[in-house]
């Protein structure tokens, strides 16, 4: 009974307590609301501010002295103060007629550091972040930067990477922010599964996408790491592949990437539906522009009735029709393919609709992105001016000419609608590259042995396009110093004029002589018509030719004129000092789309020099032809046909000296040594002796007055490896050289007069490495003479720093 009474008493006390608490809790709120309802604010006092001025705090608030205190407006002021990101905590209270704002400021970041990062350096990480030293610290901003760093590591294929921010508090409300990083192993693609394919195997489809399964030999590419953007690109690549093969109903159902439990590997599953394969039915063209001949447009159609449907051919046809319309001045013509799909018979009928559009004229030409290069340097390369009728061919030509300057990383010439429908604004957008070079080079070559070079060059002097160069080069066979200057628009005319001063010393080991040359060039190049230029030049030089010393049986060097020097040893060499004064011209027709790495177009050159204004007398003629085109079945492969021929002959009683003749071999005819092909000096022309005894050791090359050389080469794309500057080619080189002027002591029987064709075949690799260009050529001579000097491997390595 006592326990029951006690329990009832507790319940009664508890009920009274709750009732009392409710009354007490309601009364102050009503009192405060009543007190603040008509309070006029007298002052606003800011407490706790250190760096931030009180007046700055008041400027963020929506209340001011003299206002009636309103809790709703105070709440909005509180939110505004928090939104600045300057404060960790804010409390606003009313005491009498004074509003008190109590603050706790966010600290300032003193320093940001990274620990544990090895694969990505500090600069890469800092560029990705928004926080910087001397910026206000907030936890939200730190967390956002953590996510950015994690995403950066994921883009580099490291999905196991973790980032942990640490804060070190300092005095004066400052902090050091340290990101502790665990990079983890690279997360690679272990397997790519494809579901739903019947016409093509998994292996065929894996070859079409960009992502690759991880293999040890793919250490130079990143395509074996998972990238969500690349997976989206893979979907598009599969779509393009199937559409080009006639599967018009193809679509990718899903593409899913699953991460293994240990976070080291991804397994990608692509589910697709192929659909039926279609053929092309009827193809027609309809044009709403009277100036465009429909019959001419039909000739541009790539799709042929009865052939397999190919969506890529539709895109190519639209592009070709758009270009033709652009040549007529219709810049914004719209070509719409109308597809009529017959699912029952698996036939697609195509009608190309050329929609009506106004002929447009160029309203304005804008140049964007040039910081250092003057506008006029770019504008003078444009093949159009304001007021001209729009022309796509001239637009493309302008873009190629600006790119050929070599001053810019990227060049884009685009057009947008002008102020009226018949006006267009052409914008040339460029991204400048460094054009100044202070370089010290070193390398090794199979021809030049050790190479050293130091040069100073500015290809865009003062942003005017002028070229100034000073160079000193030293190698195992060559010492050279040059000074050159070129003004691309001499006297504000389209004439590139310049001069060169030079001194060279070359050891021609293959011909047993050395030559020193000192001279100067004056030159000018100007256009005749579009693509055709003419160059004029004058050169004066002094050559000093010396034969190599003869080594007797005791190994002593004996020079010409010394006792014991054999008269026949250097009878083929015209030693001494000679003056050569020559004038020449060059006609150059160039339609290549890119002078550095062309894929289509040709370059034809005719060059001729006449010496005889003083000193030696000769006429030298050279012809070059280079043609580039994509292979029909492999458009990413480039075929190159190169032909070169030359002829030199003396007049006025002068013979052509050995240092003025042509030599063949080396880079011009791979598979043969430099000057390894052509006439050679026969020391003992006894036909009863073996060939090696007739020529003797290191039989000197005499060069030739006439030569022909050529090359058939295919440049092969290497896919993702090209990102590292690696390229490959396969080639067949051929050539012949003949003709030597006789002189006293040089008899016909002392000359091997073989003008037969030589040929070689091989492969080449080049790499734009971080420490300089590297070139390797492997070539086998397949047509040669017994006395030719062959060379299976050529290489060149250099660096600049």
């Amino acid at each position: 009974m006592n326990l029951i009474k006690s329990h009832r008493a507790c319940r009664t006390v508890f009920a009274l307590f709750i009732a009392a608490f409710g009354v007490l809790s309601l009364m102050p709120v009503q009192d405060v609301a009543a007190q603040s309802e008509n309070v006029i604010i007298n002052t606003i006092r800011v407490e706790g501010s250190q760096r931030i001025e009180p007046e700055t705090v008041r400027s963020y608030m929506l209340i001011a002295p003299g206002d009636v205190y309103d809790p709703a407006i105070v709440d909005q002021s509180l939110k505004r103060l928090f939104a600045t990101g300057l404060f960790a905590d804010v409390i606003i209270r009313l005491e009498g007629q004074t509003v008190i704002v109590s603050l706790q400021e966010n600290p300032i970041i003193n320093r940001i550091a990274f620990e544990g990062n090895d694969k990505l350096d500090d600069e890469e990480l800092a560029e990705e972040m928004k926080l910087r030293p001397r910026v206000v610290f907030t936890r939200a901003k730190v967390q956002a930067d953590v996510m950015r760093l994690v995403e950066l590591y994921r883009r580099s294929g490291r999905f196991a990477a973790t980032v942990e921010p640490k804060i070190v508090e300092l005095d004066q409300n400052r902090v050091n922010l340290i990101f502790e990083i665990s990079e983890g192993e690279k997360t690679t693609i272990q397997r790519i599964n494809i579901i739903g394919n019947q016409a093509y195997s998994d292996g065929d489809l894996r070859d079409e996408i960009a992502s690759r399964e991880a293999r040890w030999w793919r250490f130079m590419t990143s395509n074996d790491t998972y990238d969500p953007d690349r997976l989206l690109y893979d979907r598009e690549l599969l779509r393009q592949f199937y559409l080009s093969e006639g599967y018009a109903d193809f679509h990718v159902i899903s593409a899913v990437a699953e991460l293994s439990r240990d976070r080291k590997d991804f397994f990608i599953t692509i589910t697709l539906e192929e659909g039926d394969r279609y053929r092309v039915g009827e193809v027609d063209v309809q044009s709403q522009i009277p100036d465009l001949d429909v019959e001419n447009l039909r000739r541009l159609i790539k799709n042929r009735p009865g052939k397999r449907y190919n969506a890529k051919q539709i895109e190519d046809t639209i592009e070709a029709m758009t270009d033709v319309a652009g040549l007529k001045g219709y810049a914004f013509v719209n070509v719409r393919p109308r597809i009529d799909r017959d699912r029952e018979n698996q036939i697609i009928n195509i009608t190309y609709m050329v929609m009506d559009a106004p002929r447009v004229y160029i309203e304005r030409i804008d140049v964007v992105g040039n910081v250092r290069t003057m506008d006029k340097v770019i504008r003078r390369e444009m093949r159009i001016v304001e007021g001209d009728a729009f022309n796509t061919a001239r637009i493309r030509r302008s873009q190629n000419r600006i790119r050929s300057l070599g001053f810019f990383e990227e060049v884009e010439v685009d057009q947008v609608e002008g102020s009226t429908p018949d006006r267009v604004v052409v914008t040339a957008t460029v991204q400048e590259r460094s054009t100044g070079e202070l370089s010290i080079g070193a390398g090794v070559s199979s021809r030049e042995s050790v190479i050293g070079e130091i040069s100073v060059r500015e290809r865009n002097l003062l942003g005017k396009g002028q070229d100034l160069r000073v160079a000193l080069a030293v190698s195992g066979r060559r010492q050279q110093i040059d000074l050159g200057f070129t003004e691309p628009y001499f006297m504000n005319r389209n004439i590139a004029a310049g001069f060169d001063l030079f001194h060279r010393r070359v050891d021609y080991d293959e011909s047993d002589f050395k030559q020193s040359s000192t001279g100067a060039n004056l030159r000018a190049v100007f256009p005749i018509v579009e693509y055709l230029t003419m160059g004029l030049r004058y050169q004066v030089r002094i050559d000093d030719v010396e034969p190599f010393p003869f080594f007797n049986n005791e190994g002593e060097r004996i020079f010409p004129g010394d006792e014991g020097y054999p008269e026949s040893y250097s009878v083929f060499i015209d030693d001494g000092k000679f003056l050569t004064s020559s004038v020449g011209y060059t006609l150059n027709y160039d339609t290549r789309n890119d002078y550095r790495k062309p894929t289509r177009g040709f370059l034809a050159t005719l060059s001729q020099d006449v010496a005889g204004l003083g000193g030696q007398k000769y006429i030298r003629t050279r012809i070059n032809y280079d043609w580039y085109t994509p292979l029909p079945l492999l458009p990413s492969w480039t075929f190159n046909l190169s032909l070169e021929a030359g002829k030199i002959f003396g007049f006025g009683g002068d013979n052509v000296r050995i240092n003025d003749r042509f030599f063949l071999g080396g880079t011009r005819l791979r598979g043969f040594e430099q000057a390894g092909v052509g006439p050679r000096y026969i020391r003992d022309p006894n036909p009863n002796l073996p060939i090696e005894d007739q020529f003797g050791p290191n039989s000197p090359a005499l060069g030739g007055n006439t030569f022909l050389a050529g090359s058939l080469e295919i440049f092969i794309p290497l896919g993702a490896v090209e990102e590292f500057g690696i390229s490959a080619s396969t080639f067949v080189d051929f050539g012949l050289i003949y003709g030597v002027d006789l002189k006293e002591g040089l008899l016909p029987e002392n000359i091997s007069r073989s003008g037969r064709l030589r040929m070689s075949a091989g492969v080449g690799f080049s790499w734009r490495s971080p420490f300089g260009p590297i070139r390797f050529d492997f070539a086998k001579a397949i047509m040669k003479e017994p006395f030719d000097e062959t060379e299976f491997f050529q290489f060149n390595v250099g660096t600049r720093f």
Side-chain angles (χ1 to χ4, degrees), residues 15-259:
L16 292 173
F17 174 78
I18 293 296
F21 179 80
V23 173
L24 291 174
S25 62
L26 290 174
M27 287 182 63
V29 172
Q30 294 172 354
D31 291 344
V32 170
Q35 291 174 4
S36 62
E37 184 175 354
N38 297 314
V39 172
I40 304 298
I41 300 173
N42 186 20
T43 58
I44 298 176
R45 189 168 74 242
V46 178
E47 297 178 350
S49 62
Q50 298 178 11
R51 300 183 313 273
I52 303 169
E53 294 292 333
E55 194 59 39
T56 303
V57 176
R58 296 188 187 99
S59 68
Y60 288 117
M61 301 181 66
L62 299 176
I63 57 176
D67 293 346
V68 176
Y69 184 90
D70 187 340
I73 297 178
V74 170
D75 184 60
Q76 293 179 21
S77 299
L78 185 69
K79 293 178 180 178
R80 289 193 63 180
L81 289 172
F82 272 114
T84 63
L86 299 173
F87 310 105
D89 191 19
V90 180
I91 298 175
I92 301 178
R93 68 182 187 275
L94 178 65
E95 292 185 0
Q97 292 182 295
T98 301
V99 174
I100 300 174
V101 183
S102 300
L103 304 173
Q104 181 182 346
E105 294 181 354
N106 277 322
I108 293 293
I109 298 175
N110 179 61
R111 187 172 68 90
I112 298 177
F114 303 95
E115 295 180 356
N117 56 308
D118 179 47
K119 303 303 179 181
L120 298 179
D121 59 32
D122 290 1
E123 292 182 359
E124 292 178 273
L125 298 175
E127 288 178 2
E128 193 70 16
M129 294 177 51
K130 298 296 184 182
L131 288 174
R132 295 287 185 271
R134 294 179 296 278
V135 171
V136 175
F137 169 91
T138 67
R139 296 188 181 277
K141 292 180 179 179
V142 171
Q143 193 59 36
D145 276 346
V146 167
M147 299 304 297
R148 291 188 184 93
L149 295 179
V150 170
E151 181 62 26
L152 179 63
Y153 272 101
R154 288 185 174 183
R155 290 201 302 268
S156 65
R158 298 183 182 276
F159 279 76
T162 59
V163 180
E164 185 71 24
K166 300 292 184 181
I167 301 170
V168 179
E169 295 184 358
L170 306 174
D171 57 358
Q172 299 179 356
N173 201 21
R174 296 174 304 141
V175 294
N176 286 340
L177 181 58
I178 302 173
F179 291 94
E180 295 183 354
I181 300 173
S182 174
E183 295 181 322
E185 295 296 326
K186 214 167 192 181
T187 311
T188 57
I189 301 174
Q190 187 63 29
R191 182 70 180 169
I192 300 176
N193 300 309
I194 301 178
I195 300 174
N197 52 310
Q198 297 178 355
Y200 301 96
S201 67
D202 288 9
D204 292 336
L205 297 181
R206 289 191 195 104
D207 290 339
E208 295 298 326
I209 62 179
S211 297
R212 291 288 183 264
E213 294 179 347
R215 296 294 183 268
W216 66 267
W217 61 81
R218 293 197 173 113
F219 63 92
M220 295 190 67
T221 178
S222 61
N223 285 354
D224 60 350
T225 60
Y226 172 68
D227 186 340
D229 294 334
R230 190 187 300 122
L231 187 57
L232 291 175
Y233 181 52
D234 290 337
R235 297 178 62 140
E236 178 62 21
L237 289 176
L238 285 174
R239 191 187 72 86
Q240 292 178 5
F241 170 72
Y242 270 96
L243 290 180
S244 68
E245 295 296 323
Y247 294 88
D249 296 330
F250 169 85
H251 70 281
V252 177
I253 298 174
S254 64
V256 179
E258 297 176 289
L259 184 61

Side-chain angles (χ1 to χ4, degrees), residues 327-513:
L327 294 175
K328 297 284 188 178
Y330 298 94
F332 304 107
V333 67
N334 186 12
V335 180
R336 298 178 183 175
R338 189 174 64 196
I339 306 297
D340 183 13
R341 188 172 308 180
D342 185 350
R343 300 183 186 277
E344 182 178 352
N345 298 313
Q346 297 175 3
I347 291 176
I348 290 181
N349 301 316
I350 307 171
T351 302
Y352 292 95
M353 306 289 297
V354 182
M355 311 307 293
D356 192 16
R359 178 174 287 175
V360 299
Y361 297 86
I362 297 174
E363 178 180 354
R364 190 175 72 252
I365 299 176
D366 294 334
V367 179
V368 179
N370 56 315
V371 178
R372 183 165 174 267
T373 305
M374 296 182 177
D375 275 13
K376 68 176 184 180
V377 173
I378 300 172
R379 290 181 180 274
R380 65 195 183 194
E381 301 299 327
M382 302 289 289
R383 301 295 93 184
I384 52 174
V385 297
E386 283 89 347
D388 283 355
F390 181 84
N391 188 300
T392 53
R394 292 188 176 184
I395 293 289
R396 280 197 301 269
R397 178 59 177 164
S398 299
Q399 179 170 307
N400 290 338
R401 286 179 63 92
I402 297 172
R403 185 181 292 120
S404 297
L405 290 173
F407 302 160
F408 309 107
E409 291 283 355
E410 299 290 341
V411 178
E412 293 292 338
V413 179
D414 302 310
Q415 59 275 352
V416 296
E417 293 185 2
S419 57
T420 60
D422 62 343
R423 295 289 184 266
V424 63
V425 175
V426 176
T427 302
T429 304
V430 298
Q431 179 183 344
E432 290 189 318
R433 65 161 52 143
S434 175
T435 57
E437 299 175 5
L438 171 59
S439 61
I440 301 174
V444 61
S445 167
S446 56
R447 285 188 51 219
E448 304 273 351
S449 65
V450 178
I451 304 170
E453 177 186 0
I454 180 171
S455 65
V456 178
R457 185 181 185 187
E458 174 53 65
R459 295 180 290 109
N460 188 14
L461 187 65
L462 302 177
K464 299 179 179 180
Q466 298 170 334
D467 191 327
L468 177 64
R469 175 179 54 86
V470 179
L472 171 66
V474 179
S475 70
R477 57 175 284 158
R478 179 187 301 269
Q479 299 85 45
Q480 177 176 330
I481 184 169
D482 291 277
L483 169 65
F485 176 78
T486 302
E487 168 56 63
Y489 270 69
F490 183 63
M491 298 182 68
N492 291 323
R493 298 179 180 271
N494 196 4
I495 300 174
F499 66 88
D500 302 287
L501 304 175
F502 61 87
H503 176 76
R504 306 184 184 107
R505 180 182 178 89
V506 184
D507 294 342
Y508 294 94
D509 298 341
E510 62 278 356
S511 299
D512 287 351
F513 76 93

